[in-house]
């Protein structure tokens, strides 16, 4: 079987949390766009790069949460 083939329960349990994380990732995408625009306008603002990196981690959050829940369920 595949890597997570016998763990459908972890996927179902993690789905509501992944949906919340999806909303956060959309917010992260907006923050990333704003941070990228600000860093292009004023490259001396080092904080904009940090905000953009934080936003990228928010965008990756739904995948991390689903994988974490799937790994918590024993096969």
């Amino acid at each position: 079987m595949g890597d997570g083939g016998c763990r459908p329960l972890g996927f179902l349990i993690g789905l509501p949390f992944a949906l919340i994380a999806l909303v956060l990732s959309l917010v992260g995408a907006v923050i990333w766009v704003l941070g990228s625009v600000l860093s292009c306008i004023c490259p001396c603002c080092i904080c904009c790069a940090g905000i953009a990196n934080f936003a990228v981690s928010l965008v990756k959050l739904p995948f991390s949460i689903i994988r974490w829940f799937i790994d918590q369920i024993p096969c």
Side-chain angles (χ1 to χ4, degrees):
M1 291 211 150
D3 187 36
C6 61
R7 299 180 183 170
L9 186 60
F11 177 77
L12 292 176
I13 291 172
L15 196 57
F17 298 104
L19 291 176
I20 292 170
L22 181 65
V23 171
L24 287 175
S25 72
L26 293 175
V27 170
V30 170
I31 293 172
W32 178 72
V33 168
L34 290 176
S36 296
V37 169
L38 285 176
S39 66
C40 288
I41 292 172
C42 180
C44 61
C45 291
I46 192 70
C47 62
C48 293
I51 291 172
N53 288 337
F54 175 69
V56 169
S57 67
L58 280 178
V59 170
K60 294 180 181 179
L61 193 61
F63 301 107
S64 301
I65 288 177
I66 285 291
R67 284 183 182 241
W68 184 81
F69 269 102
I70 289 173
D71 289 341
Q72 296 305 310
I73 304 297
C75 189

